[in-house]
Amino acid sequence: MPDPSVPNSPRRSLAERTGRWWLKGALDLAVWTAAVPIAYAIRLDIGAFADVRDVLIYAGAAAVLKALALASSRAVRRSWHRVGLRDMGPLVALVAAVFGAEVVLTAFIPHPDLIIPRSVPLIEAMVALIGLAGLRFAARLYYEERGVLRVRLRAEGRERRVLIAGAGEAGLLIAREMQRHPEAGRQPVGFVDDDPRKVGRSYGGLRVLSTLSDIERVVARTDADELLVAMPSAGPATLRRLVEAARDAGVESRTLPSLHELASGRVSVAALREVHVEDLLGRPPVQLDPASITAYLAGEVVLVTGSGGSIGSEIVRQIAPFGPARIVLVGRGENSVFHIDRELAQTHPEIPRDAVICDVRDAESLRAVFERVRPTVVFHAAAHKHVPLMEANPAQAVLNNVVGTGNVARLCLEFGVARLVNVSTDKAVNPTNVMGASKRVAEGVVARAAEACTPGKSMVSVRFGNVLGSRGSVVPLFREQIARGGPVVVTHPDMVRYFMTIPEASQLVLQAGALGENGRVYVLDMGEPVRIQDLARDLILLSGLEPGVDIQIEFSGARPGEKLFEELLTAEEGTEPSPHGQIVVARKAPPDDAFEAELATLITAAERHDAPAIVAAFRALVPTFAPERAATGADPAGAPADMTAGSAAAGDVAVQHAGDGANIAEPRPETA
């Protein structure tokens, strides 16, 4: 609701706004009229025009002209408390117009009894411009520093004093934004910076008070309420140190948006946000090639399976800006499909869409969808992905992840789909669990179908690990445990995973689809691995608490099918570069001649719900499938597992204690 006490609020009446315009106009006219005697004084010297009659006559006549100009100009109606250099243009034009009229009047109208030097109008115009601009900037300064709004916010306890970490361009930009928008309730009190040479200097009227190592003392001296980290290129170690310093000083910490948002000019006080755990991971930003993605998505009918899931729904969000002709949302869960359909209707109403409830295991229903919408690009993100649940239900892993993928691939061939992108997982590498083995076989199913593709068409798989923030992922689980007062439970102190956010993963899936070399398995670079124990500590810290004091960290032991770390490439695969620096290609051999027969054996075992037969079939299809390697991180020969290419994520690493003391396995982050 707009505040009627704030200037220019939509709730102010026309009479109130008109009154303000007349007040501004009167002040402008007074300052502009006062420029006449000043101009005479500068031109003739103070004692040279004892007859003030000349000055009064000229000033009075000019005042009428100026009043008419001000009344007809919108310059007086512009906001003074937010005035900037761009607002000076209309003011200069107004003064120039009156100056031109005065020159004409003094040059061509006879006035034998008046002394009006020809230079007086020019001097008067320059003095007036300085005075009028000064009036506006003085109003802005008063509004920002001692204005009624700031006084009211301070009296109500709604103004926060902000210490800015980083006196670079980003810090100066946000300090100016705070000064320009006091209604946001934040007042910058100074800078701290990592460059000791800046200490004592002033930037934008604010001093650099100290280096980053002395934040606690500066907070106490300035009575700051908040530390704002305005260092977009700062590494995770620096950011973590600043968050800890803010916590030790008893103040909140916030940060600026990403470098991309800064470059886009979208920084504002409203965009400030809390420091997220993603900020502490140290990942380089994903760089996309929009032209190549547009080339294969624009004007196409794009079908996304699993469109209601964490990854599938984000793929839909990332696809929409590239101008597809239609988006087909396929999913089994009606609520999740409903939500992404509604979201797409609000964000991209111009894109036609179909919301279809369909299980990829149901080949005939899926065929009906393909026949009706005729997709040209398909992203296959439907899969079962919770490791402990698939260990307990291996038949469902096969029927959904393997049979469902086969149905999608066969229909893509039958209906001439130009591009199929199958979302796979790091768990497919040297799999130690049923879920990983099923995804490895699904990669083989796509590769075998790719052999039947006609020229110009392609089927690829994109392999990456778990992602932050997806359903059942470790970060929401840890936050729930912190909210309950702890403990935060990690399965193993040495458990490590690679991390990627849902938008980053989805963007790189789209980018891998643009590469489109038929039959390839692409591997996304997911940066450096992070210990889950360190992730838990960071989340506790970002909650304003101290690990080991306010919230305890406990270890429960690894669960069935779980590795200490994930691999992205088997030793026999290796990699080769791709045209995109954050994607590599796995050198996978195509499925052998026995693949089809072994696949049929696996599916038959799943249809009979014969768990031992399913495991035996997986061993035949995936020679590196070794459940006995779970939670060891070593390959069957005892050598360290290959971690050559970065990827994967925050895997199934946590358990939650039930009220009766039993350990309830928490679901894994979504991988497909």
Side-chain angles (χ1 to χ4, degrees), residues 49-73:
F49 58 96
D51 188 359
V52 296
R53 183 180 65 91
D54 297 345
V55 180
L56 293 176
I57 292 174
Y58 175 69
V64 175
L65 186 63
K66 294 166 186 175
L68 292 173
L70 286 168
S72 62
S73 172

Side-chain angles (χ1 to χ4, degrees), residues 164-172 174 191 228-233 254-256:
I164 303 174
E169 290 295 329
L172 187 57
I174 198 63
F191 295 103
L228 171 62
V229 182
M231 304 170 66
S233 59
R254 290 183 179 271
T255 188
L256 289 180

Side-chain angles (χ1 to χ4, degrees), residues 305 360 366 370 378 380 403-413 420:
T305 70
V360 294
L366 196 60
F370 271 70
V378 173
H380 177 47
V403 175
T405 300
N407 290 339
V408 172
R410 281 190 295 274
L411 288 170
C412 286
L413 287 175
L420 166 65

